[in-house]
Amino acid sequence: MSAPKLAQGPQAVPSAPSPQPPQPAQGPDVSAPLRLGVLISGGGTNLQAIIDRIAAGTLNAQVAIVISSRPGAAGLRRAEAAGIQTMSLSKELYEDPLVADEAIATALLRAKVDYVIMAGYMRMVRYPILRTFKNRVINLHPALLPSFKGAHAIQDAYDYGVKVTGVTVHVADERYDCGPIIAQRPLEVEESWTVDELERHVHDLEHELLPDVIQLLAEGRVSVSADGKVCVRQDERPNA
């Protein structure tokens, strides 16, 4: 089988995945900035929130690479403006999702990332990424899971007439919008809001919660227990 073709940014990594499956990445060094690989599909507003918090000195992290499932995603321009390495994958490559995820896992390993952040990434991650970064693939979802899974969570919550919704950050697994929950933040829905107003408030909440959770990761305060639940240390001492 020939190597897949990737549409890449100006600083993109080589396009072909490794002939051998990527090996599991080593855990992060909590004394150094957390190296992030951010997966996007669209405008990249959550990516921008991460970039801004890093620039403000309130997030001990570094975005090492941004990978987009869409070559024309506006989030790629945000990354490039911040001097971050970018890579995009063509629609044709996703015809075989395992090949696509093998290419992504390889690029993330080469970028030496500690955690993979799904920030508006509209595709499911599969075995090649999940195996390589076990319990270190983090997803952001615009609802209070397990309610309103899927790509239309905000609209679904609005149509259902919920009085409280919110956002969830969780460890991704092989199931869609599942996996151990790290943090949730609620949002009370006002009766007068349109769905567009609800969406704006949900996104504002995302821009707060995701960087907050990444800082917890950077401090070594998040772990996944043997029973698949997340434990978050409440002090600021890194895990031994």
Side-chain angles (χ1 to χ4, degrees):
M1 181 181 68
S2 59
K5 295 181 179 180
L6 306 182
Q8 300 177 330
Q11 302 179 45
V13 299
S15 61
S18 295
Q20 300 298 323
Q23 297 302 308
Q26 297 299 313
D29 175 3
V30 296
S31 65
L34 197 70
R35 289 180 63 84
L36 307 175
V38 180
L39 308 184
I40 65 169
S41 293
T45 59
N46 282 297
L47 167 66
Q48 190 65 56
I50 295 169
I51 292 171
D52 291 346
R53 283 280 295 271
I54 292 171
T58 59
L59 177 55
N60 185 28
Q62 174 188 358
V63 181
I65 186 170
V66 172
I67 301 176
S68 174
S69 64
R70 298 173 182 169
L76 290 172
R77 295 192 290 276
R78 294 180 186 271
E80 290 161 5
I84 299 168
Q85 179 183 354
T86 64
M87 172 175 143
S88 61
L89 279 71
S90 67
K91 181 180 179 180
E92 291 73 22
L93 187 62
Y94 278 106
E95 291 176 0
D96 187 335
L98 289 178
V99 170
D101 278 15
E102 200 76 54
I104 292 170
T106 297
L108 292 168
L109 274 176
R110 289 177 178 171
K112 296 182 172 60
V113 308
D114 299 313
Y115 276 87
V116 182
I117 308 297
M118 301 170 65
Y121 184 66
M122 302 306 292
R123 291 184 178 271
M124 182 182 294
V125 293
R126 291 173 170 80
Y127 178 72
I129 298 173
L130 296 173
R131 172 198 59 205
T132 307
F133 296 92
K134 183 178 180 181
N135 292 333
R136 287 188 283 128
V137 181
I138 308 301
N139 186 44
L140 172 68
H141 185 72
L144 295 175
L145 292 174
S147 299
F148 305 112
K149 299 177 183 178
H152 307 290
I154 297 175
Q155 183 70 57
D156 291 345
Y158 182 83
D159 291 344
Y160 203 83
V162 299
K163 306 308 178 187
V164 177
T165 185
V167 297
T168 301
V169 179
H170 68 97
V171 179
D173 61 16
E174 67 279 359
R175 300 164 296 167
Y176 198 73
D177 289 333
C178 292
I181 291 172
I182 301 173
Q184 293 181 303
R185 196 160 290 176
L187 173 67
E188 187 171 345
V189 181
E190 296 188 9
E191 297 289 344
S192 62
W193 285 354
T194 65
V195 67
D196 290 338
E197 288 173 311
L198 175 60
E199 182 174 7
R200 176 169 57 82
H201 286 287
V202 168
H203 289 329
D204 287 346
L205 206 58
E206 289 178 332
H207 301 161
E208 297 173 3
L209 183 60
L210 182 59
D212 286 351
V213 169
I214 294 171
Q215 181 59 30
L216 292 176
L217 298 172
E219 293 170 2
R221 294 167 58 189
V222 178
S223 60
V224 180
S225 63
D227 64 359
K229 294 182 180 179
V230 167
C231 176
V232 179
R233 294 171 61 97
Q234 295 306 307
D235 59 18
E236 296 185 356
R237 293 174 298 172
N239 293 332

